[in-house]
Amino acid sequence: MTLPVERSRSRRPVTWLTLIGVLLLPAVIGGILVGALYNPTDRLDNITAAIVNDDKAVELNGQLVPLGRQLTGGLVKGADDQPSNIDWVISNDDDAAAGLKDGTYTAVVTIPENFTAASLSTRPGETPEKATIDVQTAPDARVVDGAITAQLASTASSVFGTELSSQYLTNVFLGFTTLSDQLGTAASGAHQLADGASQAADGATALKDGLGQLSTGASGLADGASQLAAGAAPLADGATKLASGASALATGTRDAAAGVDKLATGADGIAAGNQQLATQINGLADQIPPGFSTDAQKLADAAPQVNTALVDAAAALQKAAAECTGTAEQCQALRDAADAANRALPQATQTVTQIGSLAGQAAQLPAGIRAIAAANQQLADGATGLAGGAREAATGLGTIAGGIDGVAGGGTQLADGARQFGTGAQALSSGAGQLASGVSLSEDGAAQLADGVGQVASGTSSLADGLDTAVEQLPTYTDAQATSLADVVADPVSATGVSDSLFGVAAVPLLAMAVLWFGGLASFVAFQAVSARALTSRRPSALVALRGFAPAALVGAVQGLLVAAVVQVASDYDWGDWAVFALVCVAAGIAFAAVHQALVAVFGGAGRWVAAVVGALALGASIVSTVPPALAAVASLLPTAPVYDAMLGALSSAGGVGAGVAGFVVWAVLSLIATTLIVVRRRTTTARAAAQPA
């Protein structure tokens, strides 16, 4: 069945089969392109890629850390928000290389053996190294396969690196908190140290003052001990003399006791032989020992000397007690001894005086006996009393003799003690002098110590203040704050509204525009742009032009509707947006029919070549923004530009639908005008041209 439509470059009419082919061509092409290219990430499992994990685990805190294995698991598992994932095959180096060569694998992701070691190289004491993975794409892989594989591997490694960075930064931020706590403890300790150093400086100053006083006291002690040593020698000499005199006094006292005892015996004889005494008195006088008078006289003569010695000894002892420079106990003992000697001195001197007087009288005994002989009767009456008194005197003299022996022994001991005291005092004087010298040196050292400790206190106080400042400036974080901040710092910038599809919202308008453009080109591959009967037609030139435009416009409108239907099936847009898009597609199909008619009418067969170039330029300038500015400028002037803008505005928030429609309507009107002018031109021809077929 044929249609009343002229076929291009043929006199045969267009059939329904040709018309259906032209109608379906854009829909088929658009369906194939949209079906093949729209949302490729939903069909990632059609891509087979190999993962080669050569990574060697690293021991960390006693546990093996296999980060390469974890990254492999992450790639194989995929993302929770991604409906599909590449068909990953865990392989080895040889199998991956062979599979990449024979086409089994589209790409190979290799994790090197130092991946874990490099990832953990941020630990203290190690040289930081960036962990890398290698991505290889098969030479015969499709255009976007490598980009998809590389993007997934790059995203996985970036996310994995972000997690490592987040963990590292979490430890860093928590380390700030730990460091702040430790610095706070150090600052507190520094304050305590500064306080202690200040107290130590005060103590060192007090020590210096005390050492000065000790040095002065030691010097005084040395002088006093030297004076004691000098006074001890006379004391020892006096004590020696006291001991010697006391010994002599004791001997004389014993002799006196013996004489008194004999006197008592004689008195007894007088008492017993009162009557015989007178007659025997001369004989008794003869019986008196020859040296008795001499001994008694010596005793009488020694009494004053003994008294003098006792007084001197008591005075010397008193002087020694008054000038005592020894210990408090020694001085008190000397004072007690001096007091005791002074108390006993009167009685002792009185006794010695009585003994001397008695001894003097005893020296005159022989003469007295003879005097007594004359008064023997009176002596007989008192002889009994005399005998008793004489015995008591003898006993007292014996006691005195024992006491004087004690005085002699004490004098000797006093002399020895005084000499030892003198030696000790001399040694004390020497030691005190050395002590004074050493303490003087220690005083200088204490002054230096006080200065040094003062500087330590000042420096420690400054250190404590600096640590306090550091603590105030160091941030502190809780575990939750550190984790949150680490996540932000590890990935500080994120993009929202970014689609993970390789073909964004502009892909469908671009494909629809392209297939409608080439659909319009197909129409005028089959249809005649200007009727071959234009020269002989009686219709106006505008109607002749519209007659050639009408079937192509109808086909373009149907093509636009079919393309819009295919897009809706593949993309499922909102029906309101799709309705606007469908109207734009119908209008664009009609406008493209007018433009292609004009191109073929003006340039003939070359017009189709120009149309193909325009379509390629429109596609090339709309795929990526890196197109050269000159090509982009030319593409913006083409009839495809307003169609693309209108379609994009219909399916997105870009807007500009009205301006785009106005733009391609202007192109359609200008194209119809150009076609009409060509029709007018073809209606004027030569006879030779009229004879040739169109």
Side-chain angles (χ1 to χ4, degrees):
M1 181 178 180
T2 60
L3 296 174
V5 179
E6 296 182 48
R7 184 185 294 272
S8 175
R9 294 175 298 178
S10 176
R11 294 183 180 274
R12 290 185 299 117
V14 175
T15 65
W16 280 104
L17 185 61
T18 302
L19 182 62
I20 292 173
V22 172
L23 285 172
L24 293 180
L25 179 63
V28 172
I29 295 175
I32 292 174
L33 291 177
V34 172
L37 300 179
Y38 191 72
N39 285 339
T41 54
D42 290 343
R43 299 179 298 278
L44 291 177
D45 51 1
N46 293 332
I47 298 176
T48 301
I51 300 177
V52 179
N53 181 22
D54 294 332
D55 179 48
K56 294 182 179 179
V58 174
E59 185 173 345
L60 180 63
N61 296 329
Q63 294 184 346
L64 288 179
V65 179
L67 297 183
R69 189 185 307 170
Q70 295 179 16
L71 178 57
T72 300
L75 288 172
V76 173
K77 179 181 178 181
D80 295 335
D81 57 351
Q82 182 63 43
S84 66
N85 188 16
I86 291 177
D87 182 18
W88 294 102
V89 176
I90 299 177
S91 181
N92 54 49
D93 291 321
D94 295 336
D95 176 71
L100 197 65
K101 184 176 181 180
D102 62 20
T104 302
Y105 303 131
T106 301
V108 174
V109 176
T110 302
I111 303 174
E113 65 178 11
N114 68 334
F115 181 76
T116 298
S119 299
L120 299 179
S121 62
T122 55
R123 294 176 296 172
E126 297 191 10
T127 302
E129 181 181 358
K130 182 178 289 187
T132 59
I133 60 175
D134 178 66
V135 180
Q136 288 181 303
T137 306
D140 58 349
R142 290 176 175 81
V143 175
V144 188
D145 287 354
I148 294 175
T149 306
Q151 182 66 23
L152 286 178
S154 176
T155 301
S157 60
S158 176
V159 171
F160 196 74
T162 301
E163 292 179 357
L164 290 176
S165 299
S166 178
Q167 294 176 3
Y168 176 78
L169 290 172
T170 299
N171 294 331
V172 169
F173 293 139
L174 291 178
F176 282 148
T177 302
T178 302
L179 179 60
S180 178
D181 294 339
Q182 292 176 347
L183 285 179
T185 301
S188 177
H191 280 300
Q192 295 176 0
L193 179 60
D195 294 339
S198 297
Q199 295 175 2
D202 295 339
T205 301
L207 175 62
K208 170 183 172 295
D209 297 338
L211 287 175
Q213 296 174 1
L214 179 59
S215 176
T216 302
S219 298
L221 177 61
D223 295 339
S226 179
Q227 294 175 2
L228 281 177
L235 177 61
D237 294 340
T240 300
K241 292 178 180 180
L242 174 62
S244 178
S247 296
L249 179 61
T251 301
T253 303
R254 287 189 180 87
D255 291 343
V260 171
D261 186 60
K262 290 178 181 180
L263 177 61
T265 301
D268 285 337
I270 293 171
N274 182 29
Q275 294 301 322
Q276 296 176 1
L277 181 58
T279 58
Q280 297 176 356
I281 189 68
N282 290 328
L284 180 59
D286 294 337
Q287 293 178 1
I288 293 174
F292 176 79
S293 296
T294 303
D295 293 336
Q297 188 62 45
K298 289 181 179 179
L299 179 59
D301 295 336
Q305 297 177 358
V306 171
N307 282 335
T308 301
L310 288 175
V311 171
D312 293 340
L317 189 59
Q318 184 68 34
K319 181 180 180 182
E323 296 177 352
C324 178
T325 56
T327 63
E329 291 81 3
Q330 291 173 347
C331 291
Q332 187 61 41
L334 283 175
R335 285 191 292 271
D336 292 341
D339 293 338
N342 286 331
R343 287 194 302 271
L345 181 61
Q347 184 178 357
T349 55
Q350 184 180 0
T351 301
V352 171
T353 301
Q354 291 176 355
I355 292 173
S357 177
L358 185 58
Q361 294 175 4
Q364 298 175 0
L365 183 61
I369 291 174
R370 288 181 177 89
I372 292 171
N376 61 356
Q377 188 62 46
Q378 295 176 359
L379 182 59
D381 294 336
T384 301
L386 178 60
R391 286 190 178 91
E392 291 178 0
T395 302
L397 288 173
T399 301
I400 291 173
I404 294 173
D405 283 336
V407 172
T412 301
Q413 292 177 357
L414 177 60
D416 294 338
R419 291 187 182 92
Q420 293 176 359
F421 178 73
T423 303
Q426 188 64 40
L428 176 62
S429 176
S430 176
Q434 294 176 359
L435 174 63
S437 177
V439 169
S440 179
L441 295 176
S442 298
E443 182 181 4
D444 296 337
Q448 296 176 359
L449 175 62
D451 294 339
V453 174
Q455 294 175 1
V456 170
S458 177
T460 308
S461 179
S462 299
L463 172 62
D465 294 339
L467 290 174
D468 286 336
T469 303
V471 170
E472 292 174 357
Q473 293 179 352
L474 276 177
T476 57
Y477 306 96
T478 63
D479 292 347
Q481 289 173 337
T483 301
S484 176
L485 183 58
D487 291 340
V488 174
V489 174
D491 189 13
V493 180
S494 62
T496 59
V498 179
S499 174
D500 57 359
S501 175
L502 293 178
F503 292 89
V505 67
V508 169
L510 178 63
L511 294 176
M513 178 272 294
V515 297
L516 287 177
W517 175 261
F518 287 105
L521 175 61
S523 294
F524 284 96
V525 170
F527 301 157
Q528 185 74 31
V530 177
S531 174
R533 295 185 290 273
L535 183 61
T536 59
S537 176
R538 297 179 181 178
R539 296 186 180 93
S541 297
L543 290 178
V544 174
L546 290 175
R547 180 179 176 81
F549 168 69
L554 180 61
V555 170
V558 176
Q559 287 177 339
L561 186 61
L562 290 175
V563 169
V566 171
V567 167
Q568 180 64 6
V569 171
S571 305
D572 192 20
Y573 286 108
D574 179 77
W575 285 105
D577 295 339
W578 178 82
V580 176
F581 176 74
L583 291 176
V584 172
C585 287
V586 171
I590 296 173
F592 283 163
V595 173
H596 284 291
Q597 182 188 20
L599 288 174
V600 175
V602 173
F603 300 107
R608 301 183 183 93
W609 183 86
V610 172
V613 172
V614 169
L617 183 59
L619 282 174
S622 302
I623 291 177
V624 63
S625 296
T626 57
V627 64
L631 292 180
V634 172
S636 64
L637 301 176
L638 299 176
T640 53
V643 173
Y644 172 74
D645 292 340
M647 290 182 176
L648 182 62
L651 295 180
S652 68
S653 60
V657 176
V661 171
F664 65 73
V665 168
V666 170
W667 271 100
V669 172
L670 293 177
S671 297
L672 289 174
I673 293 174
T675 302
T676 301
L677 293 177
I678 294 300
V679 171
V680 171
R681 180 183 175 185
R682 288 190 179 184
R683 283 189 162 189
T684 57
T685 184
T686 62
R688 180 182 295 179
Q692 294 179 355

